[in-house]
Amino acid sequence: MYVQLSGMSHASIADVLVFRLQIRLIVLLLIVCSSGYSLLRDPHHNKGLAFTLRERDAHYIRGLLPPVVMSQELQEKKLLHNIRQYQLPLQKYTAMMDLAERNERLFYRLLIDNVEELLPVVYTPTVGEACQKYGSIFQRPQGLYISLKEKGKILEVLKNWPERSIQVIVVTDGERILGLGDLGCQGMGIPVGKLALYTALGGVRPSSCLPITIDVGTNNEKLLNDEFYIGLKQRRATGKEYADLLEEFMSAVKQNYGEKVLIQFEDFANHNAFDLLAKYGTTHLVFNDDIQGTAAVVLAGLVGALKLLGGTLGDHKFLFLGAGEAGTGIAELIALEMSKQTKAPVEETRKNIWLVDSKGLIVSSRKDSLQHFKKPWAHEHPPVTTLLDAVKAIKPSVLIGTSGVGSTFTKEVVEAMAEFNEKPLILALSNPTSQSECTAEEAYKWTQGRAIYASGSPFDPVEYNGKVHVPGQANNAYIFPGLGLGLVISGAIRVHDDMLLAASEGLAGQVTKENCEKGLIYPPFANIRKISAHIAANVAAKAYELGLASRLPRPENLVKYAESCMYTPNYRTYR
């Protein structure tokens, strides 16, 4: 059923959308309710013991459940108790994924109400271990697998997915999963986890989310020799073979789902990530979370930290360890924000930002041998080979780690930062926690409790000299769910850098005075849905301002509109 929505009032559009939803629900119920047994095994509609006696009679469930009727709240309490009994994070992850396959609404209710406790379970750091062992724990497909065997048939494969109205796709080729390297087809845990957060934190309807893994092989010898590996057992395709498959995929997605479907690239290796973003950024609604999402959340943290450090971004010097997707993406967004604030050319603001890669400080004498995305950061300076020497030479006020290598912010490096900064800002962003450049405890201990610290994966609070320090978490989950919601509610057709700046501003604006007094540069995750609504409103406003929004007319109050569009996982009453 198709209805032209342009030119209609918000009330009329809402009526049409409600009508569509009612028709869809009726059709689904006609299909699944012909057998109560089928209804209990449909995760989208199953309520388990929450089915009332009247519903059990109406839908042929009586006798298929024990006689007790249990509220969603009590089900949630029981499940949280059960999950807390597990000792290993991977056991908790498996229990949560099993719940998602059994009762979708209860899964999201549990995750939303206990986000600070369960976010590390369904996403980083536990999802990294889940990807490493995905072949062993794999039970049911949770997304689409598109391999080289599907070349020429990708459109047909997309049509095999049961949902037709897709708004967000998260896709990976598994070559650079977190800081764990090439996990091939087993990288599917990342798109599944990301999209769970799109729904729980950003309110994007789960039926409109699609996780996809592009399987072009793996160069991981351990996986190639693993009898339980679930992907293609061949070396990675490269060059034209790889590019042609991605081209067919991108064209098929647009053909099947339209211009406004958001395609989020996730955990592609550097040599492909930048090229894919540049190639498809002008023809599709695409976003790379490793390059752009990380940049937006770090920039928000830096803006929040200024309330503790004082001054403006332009008053500070930044030194990065790591010059890949995350490092250069963050650096560029900082430079763009400084340019916006000072009206200076971005080429000028980049000079406050220095990067160290595996060969040392990136300087102009190395320019001929650098990859293209590193060249803008090659400044005039004598060669420096170690991070410690770079810290001593540049004297940065902010040290940012995106290296993917653990324990690289050594005691000497952190102590050097503390020598010339009263409050050194240290962001150890590599995931999972095992790859963090330094721990929260190390940062506070080596700076005598003066550091302002945030990491990519969560660390527990640290007590030093009688004071409890609460480390921040520069988690992309602060940004991408709200950004995605903003793109969806505005009907955006492209992602612009100014939308990323708007997302950062929306997040930074949620940092309160009370947060700052605790040394926090990010707001608590407990408020994430409110935060996401504000980010979505900022992003949508920018889309309208830039003429990139297609959903007209523009709502008067974008925050309230964003909140009204957010999915809530409360049980429905079946008649």
Side-chain angles (χ1 to χ4, degrees):
M1 175 183 178
Y2 297 93
V3 179
Q4 180 66 39
L5 298 181
S6 60
M8 296 173 66
S9 68
H10 289 313
S12 299
I13 291 173
D15 289 342
V16 170
L17 293 175
V18 168
F19 178 66
R20 281 183 178 176
L21 189 59
Q22 289 171 337
I23 292 295
R24 186 167 180 264
L25 182 58
I26 289 169
V27 171
L28 286 169
L29 287 175
L30 286 173
I31 294 170
V32 302
C33 292
S34 57
S35 164
Y37 194 76
S38 299
L39 180 59
L40 291 175
R41 277 151 182 75
D42 181 343
H44 307 301
H45 301 97
N46 178 31
K47 301 195 294 183
L49 291 174
F51 281 110
T52 65
L53 296 179
R54 182 179 176 182
E55 289 172 332
R56 295 180 193 199
D57 281 336
H59 300 288
Y60 311 102
I61 301 172
R62 186 178 282 271
L64 301 181
L65 291 169
V68 71
V69 176
M70 189 178 289
S71 68
Q72 189 179 27
E73 291 73 24
L74 190 55
Q75 287 179 315
E76 181 184 353
K77 181 180 179 180
K78 181 184 77 169
L79 280 164
L80 187 62
H81 171 78
N82 291 345
I83 286 169
R84 285 173 174 167
Q85 303 311 302
Y86 292 115
Q87 299 299 310
L88 300 177
L90 188 60
Q91 292 174 323
K92 296 182 180 184
Y93 173 89
T94 303
M96 286 295 290
M97 292 302 106
D98 285 345
L99 175 60
E101 290 297 318
R102 188 172 70 249
N103 186 329
E104 182 178 84
R105 287 178 178 268
L106 186 55
F107 168 82
Y108 285 113
R109 180 81 278 155
L110 186 65
L111 181 53
I112 290 168
D113 291 346
N114 304 278
V115 64
E116 290 182 298
E117 179 176 349
L118 295 179
L119 183 62
V121 173
V122 300
Y123 196 55
T124 181
T126 310
V127 73
E129 183 183 0
C131 287
Q132 288 177 308
K133 300 174 180 177
Y134 211 76
S136 298
I137 66 174
F138 177 84
Q139 294 178 327
R140 307 174 192 85
Q142 294 175 292
L144 278 179
Y145 294 85
I146 297 174
S147 74
L148 290 169
K149 292 182 178 181
E150 280 68 64
K151 183 170 172 54
K153 301 177 182 178
I154 294 179
L155 183 58
E156 294 174 37
V157 173
L158 292 177
K159 290 181 177 179
N160 287 342
W161 188 250
E163 300 291 346
R164 293 289 173 259
S165 180
I166 298 299
Q167 294 176 317
V168 182
I169 290 172
V170 176
V171 59
T172 186
D173 72 353
E175 189 169 3
R176 193 199 62 84
I177 297 298
L178 301 175
L180 303 171
D182 186 349
L183 298 183
C185 192
Q186 297 188 169
M188 178 58 98
I190 296 294
V192 169
K194 288 276 185 180
L195 286 169
L197 301 188
Y198 261 108
T199 297
L201 312 187
V204 179
R205 189 167 293 280
S207 60
S208 65
C209 296
L210 175 55
I212 296 179
T213 289
I214 304 278
D215 186 358
V216 296
T218 179
N219 294 335
N220 186 322
E221 290 290 344
K222 185 177 179 181
L223 293 179
L224 290 173
N225 295 313
D226 182 354
E227 63 177 326
F228 298 126
Y229 179 55
I230 58 176
L232 292 178
K233 289 194 175 182
Q234 64 179 64
R235 294 278 175 183
R236 280 190 169 271
T238 58
K240 188 175 186 301
E241 187 179 14
Y242 180 90
D244 287 350
L245 190 72
L246 267 293
E247 176 66 32
E248 183 187 347
F249 168 72
M250 295 299 289
S251 298
V253 165
K254 198 173 193 178
Q255 184 177 341
N256 203 45
Y257 300 121
E259 185 89 5
K260 293 181 287 186
V261 62
L262 172 61
I263 304 168
Q264 177 170 314
F265 295 122
E266 194 67 40
D267 287 355
F268 285 76
N270 289 342
H271 55 271
N272 289 320
F274 289 100
D275 290 344
L276 289 171
L277 190 58
K279 181 176 181 180
Y280 295 108
T282 56
T283 59
H284 293 67
L285 183 67
V286 296
F287 167 71
N288 185 301
D289 192 40
D290 304 297
I291 299 172
Q292 297 166 299
T294 302
V297 76
V298 173
L299 176 59
L302 294 174
V303 173
L306 293 177
K307 298 173 185 178
L308 296 167
L309 297 175
T312 65
L313 285 176
D315 296 325
H316 292 272
K317 277 188 183 178
F318 305 85
L319 179 64
F320 287 77
L321 177 63
E325 295 170 57
T328 56
I330 298 166
E332 185 64 18
L333 203 63
I334 295 171
L336 285 170
E337 180 64 17
M338 283 197 286
S339 176
K340 179 182 172 183
Q341 290 179 3
T342 63
K343 309 302 180 187
V346 70
E347 293 79 12
E348 193 64 31
T349 58
R350 285 186 186 128
K351 293 178 181 176
N352 277 18
I353 304 168
W354 297 79
L355 278 70
V356 172
D357 65 7
S358 60
K359 295 181 174 62
L361 192 66
I362 294 178
V363 293
S364 54
S365 60
R366 294 178 52 196
K367 203 161 190 176
D368 290 344
S369 63
L370 291 173
Q371 294 163 287
H372 66 90
F373 54 86
K374 295 182 182 181
K375 289 185 178 182
W377 311 103
H379 307 318
E380 287 292 336
H381 195 281
V384 176
T385 55
T386 70
L387 175 63
L388 178 59
D389 288 340
V391 168
K392 291 178 177 178
I394 304 301
K395 290 184 169 54
S397 48
V398 183
L399 180 63
I400 301 175
T402 62
S403 62
V405 182
S407 303
T408 43
F409 289 175
T410 62
K411 185 173 186 285
E412 292 76 18
V413 166
V414 174
E415 286 179 342
M417 285 290 296
E419 282 180 20
F420 43 82
N421 290 296
E422 178 60 30
K423 294 180 178 179
L425 178 54
I426 297 172
L427 305 181
L429 303 179
S430 293
N431 291 313
T433 43
S434 60
Q435 306 304 113
S436 186
E437 284 78 9
C438 70
T439 67
E441 183 177 10
E442 289 168 341
Y444 295 126
K445 181 179 177 182
W446 294 338
T447 62
Q448 293 78 51
R450 292 188 283 121
I452 301 170
Y453 176 88
S455 55
S457 291
F459 282 101
D460 292 331
V462 175
E463 185 175 346
Y464 181 83
N465 277 354
K467 181 180 178 182
V468 175
H469 299 267
V470 183
Q473 188 186 355
N475 193 322
N476 291 21
Y478 274 118
I479 287 288
F480 69 80
L483 173 68
L485 180 62
L487 296 171
V488 167
I489 66 173
S490 63
I493 57 172
R494 299 290 180 270
V495 176
H496 191 281
D497 283 341
D498 284 351
M499 295 178 186
L500 303 176
L501 295 177
S504 284
E505 291 162 7
L507 175 55
Q510 298 300 302
V511 179
T512 66
K513 182 180 179 182
E514 289 74 21
N515 299 150
C516 291
E517 287 172 354
K518 294 178 182 177
L520 291 172
I521 59 177
Y522 293 102
F525 255 112
N527 301 326
I528 187 61
R529 280 173 70 97
K530 176 188 171 187
I531 294 165
S532 292
H534 281 272
I535 292 172
N538 269 28
V539 170
K542 188 58 67 174
Y544 283 108
E545 181 185 322
L546 295 171
L548 294 173
S550 65
R551 185 156 291 162
L552 300 173
R554 169 183 166 156
E556 288 184 18
N557 188 321
L558 283 169
V559 174
K560 286 186 177 179
Y561 182 63
E563 289 174 338
S564 72
C565 292
M566 295 175 88
Y567 165 84
T568 54
N570 299 328
Y571 283 154
R572 291 172 175 167
T573 299
Y574 298 134
R575 303 189 186 282

